[in-house]
Amino acid sequence: MSGTAITFNTGSSSLKIGVFKVEAGFARPLARGTVMIGKGTRFKYTSGTDVHEVDLPHVKEIGPALLAELLPLILPKGSEPTLVGHRIIHGGLKFTAPVLLDSDTEACINQLVPLAPLHLPCALEVVRAVRAMYPDVLQTASFDTAFHTSQCALATRLAIPREMHDAGIRRYGFHGLSYKFVSQKLKKFAPDLGSGRVVCAHLGNGASLCGMVDGVSKDTSMGFSCLDGVPMATRPGSIDAGVLIHLLRNGFHDADRLEHFLYHGCGLLGVSGVSGDVRVLMENFHPAAREALDLFCFRIAGEIGRLAVSLGGIDAIVFTAGIGENQPEVRKGVARHLAWMGLELSESANKANATVISGRDSTITAFIIPTDEEQAIVDETLAVVNRHKL
Ligand code: ADP
């Protein structure tokens, strides 16, 4: 199989696109882009070393009109995709591996919409838009939940009646493509540690942690939805269910308003009242900005403690995604709470965003490994194509 592959990583208000050259069974990145859908839709993309920004003022939603504008900009001139891979946030109990998208698999994903009502309809819209533009192109789905189907049984349980668990109200976990990519990189870079007990902290606008043994997920901080776990840019992370009942009775009234608040009005933004962006908070001297960052670090460290119980100890910690890869102060703030566990960072390696950031006396080795969800998607696309001998 050779040609051009595209990956789509569809959020509720953003779309990340990767363009890859496929040759001899490998996919090499050619271009990347992110489009934020909002009042002023804007497409930012890099092709080689060139960075471009384009305003798309008349595009208001993710759909065929958006793709018709974006793809000619980011695809190599005159080329059409031969393969398209999609990140699908929820695979429920049905999807434990990537699949070819056909009418059957698409119908099954459609049935999962109640589990991820903000994300799945947008992703399916992109699948349909691609089909309308390129009716014969092969499309695949990569599921964020699939990596966590190996979790231990206790980690999947909420303390609710058994029949609800059996009906699918259980802990699934997300960011699976990122964890798969990072764990494979760690195994290549440090095979002994990579096959040991590893906690990976994916700290981006969405944030979660995963405890793995031998590169396999055993427990993770996100659960039924991507609201669970540690605080995020605008989501609260785990929150006492009593608060939600109180809010529904006092001012929120319906699930849609509460949902919008929980996805967009909480987390770092809610606590600081300033921003959900760590870079902005780092430069802000308001005490509430400091408190938001302190809470973020405290809760991440707490989650690492919980995962240490799940794994029976920790050999290595890996930081990844925008904050994990680029914010020494956050890593330092997390490590400060974990000194009792034997984690100690090297001041200089941490400041330099080096690959190994733990100090010589640390009993836990700490790494920074950049994630690449787009590469993870396209690698799975190629694996599906191979599996089906297409
Ligand atoms: P997303 O989860 O939407 O993919 P990112 O992984 O880029 O987003 O994470 C966004 C967060 O990472 C923001 O809080 C931002 O401040 C931080 N971040 C991203 N890139 C950098 C950077 N180069 N330097 C410092 N902080 C960064």
Side-chain angles (χ1 to χ4, degrees):
M1 169 66 71
S2 62
T4 306
I6 307 181
T7 59
F8 290 102
N9 185 344
T10 312
S12 53
S13 59
S14 74
L15 178 64
K16 290 184 184 167
I17 304 178
V19 178
F20 295 81
K21 187 174 176 59
V22 177
E23 249 173 356
F26 291 97
R28 186 169 54 79
L30 294 176
R32 311 278 180 136
T34 304
V35 61
M36 300 302 299
I37 314 290
K39 279 191 198 122
T41 298
R42 173 163 269 248
F43 183 41
K44 192 170 174 187
Y45 63 103
T46 53
S47 179
T49 52
D50 300 335
V51 182
H52 310 267
E53 274 195 71
V54 182
D55 282 324
L56 306 167
H58 42 282
V59 181
K60 300 270 183 284
E61 57 188 17
I62 292 173
L66 177 67
L67 295 201
E69 296 253 9
L70 300 186
L71 293 183
L73 294 171
I74 196 167
L75 278 169
K77 281 220 165 21
S79 76
E80 289 202 349
T82 39
L83 296 170
V84 174
H86 298 266
R87 174 186 177 209
I88 302 289
I89 194 169
H90 215 307
L93 295 175
K94 167 105 187 147
F95 295 105
T96 57
V99 294
L100 200 60
L101 278 166
D102 55 24
S103 51
D104 283 351
T105 47
E106 221 176 297
C108 289
I109 296 170
N110 206 33
Q111 285 177 354
L112 299 174
V113 166
L115 290 177
L118 290 180
H119 293 87
L120 288 184
C122 299
L124 288 170
E125 185 61 35
V126 177
V127 173
R128 287 189 285 268
V130 169
R131 184 167 313 119
M133 280 179 94
Y134 309 108
D136 297 325
V137 77
L138 286 175
Q139 300 197 69
T140 64
S142 288
F143 300 93
D144 238 3
T145 44
F147 185 72
H148 300 294
T149 48
S150 54
Q151 279 188 96
C152 47
L154 284 182
T156 67
R157 278 208 169 269
L158 297 164
I160 57 174
R162 184 164 296 275
E163 54 276 16
M164 290 186 177
H165 175 86
D166 295 342
I169 303 182
R170 46 184 276 151
R171 300 184 74 253
Y172 293 91
F174 299 86
H175 289 137
L177 291 163
S178 175
Y179 292 128
K180 183 176 177 184
F181 181 87
V182 168
S183 68
Q184 287 172 351
K185 284 272 168 201
L186 180 65
K187 275 194 161 189
K188 275 194 191 137
F189 183 76
D192 286 354
L193 287 168
S195 54
R197 300 163 299 178
V198 177
V199 170
C200 181
H202 176 110
L203 308 178
N205 285 318
S208 75
L209 293 96
C210 178
M212 300 176 262
V213 175
D214 196 16
V216 170
S217 172
K218 294 292 174 195
D219 193 355
T220 186
S221 64
M222 279 180 175
F224 177 71
S225 77
C226 47
L227 285 174
D228 204 1
V230 296
M232 300 166 230
T234 58
R235 296 174 235 162
S238 311
I239 185 167
D240 179 347
V243 173
L244 308 183
I245 297 168
H246 176 81
L247 292 178
L248 275 174
R249 286 202 182 119
N250 295 278
F252 279 80
H253 305 302
D254 69 71
D256 287 349
R257 280 186 67 187
L258 186 58
E259 178 179 61
H260 190 268
F261 170 69
L262 293 171
Y263 275 93
H264 302 290
C266 298
L268 297 173
L269 172 66
V271 176
S272 68
V274 174
S275 173
D277 190 307
V278 168
R279 262 181 294 203
V280 174
L281 296 180
M282 284 288 172
E283 285 162 15
N284 190 291
F285 296 104
H286 196 284
R290 188 70 253 167
E291 191 184 25
L293 291 168
D294 287 346
L295 178 62
F296 188 53
C297 297
F298 176 63
R299 290 276 297 272
I300 292 166
E303 188 59 30
I304 293 174
R306 195 186 72 77
L307 291 172
V309 172
S310 299
L311 301 183
I314 297 178
D315 303 308
I317 291 179
V318 183
F319 292 92
T320 194
I323 301 164
E325 293 164 28
N326 300 296
Q327 290 289 356
E329 283 302 315
V330 170
R331 295 189 298 259
K332 189 174 162 181
V334 172
R336 195 178 295 130
H337 293 293
L338 297 174
W340 60 271
M341 215 188 237
L343 175 66
E344 183 205 305
L345 297 190
S346 150
E347 182 90 29
S348 55
N350 184 43
K351 257 197 186 143
N353 295 331
T355 304
V356 179
I357 55 170
S358 42
R360 245 186 294 155
D361 296 331
S362 185
T363 54
I364 296 171
T365 312
F367 297 89
I368 298 173
I369 299 183
T371 192
D372 189 343
E373 288 171 303
E374 279 58 50
Q375 186 72 50
I377 299 167
V378 76
D379 289 347
E380 290 204 343
T381 301
L382 293 181
V384 172
V385 167
N386 274 337
R387 197 167 71 214
H388 289 270
K389 301 195 178 9
L390 295 168

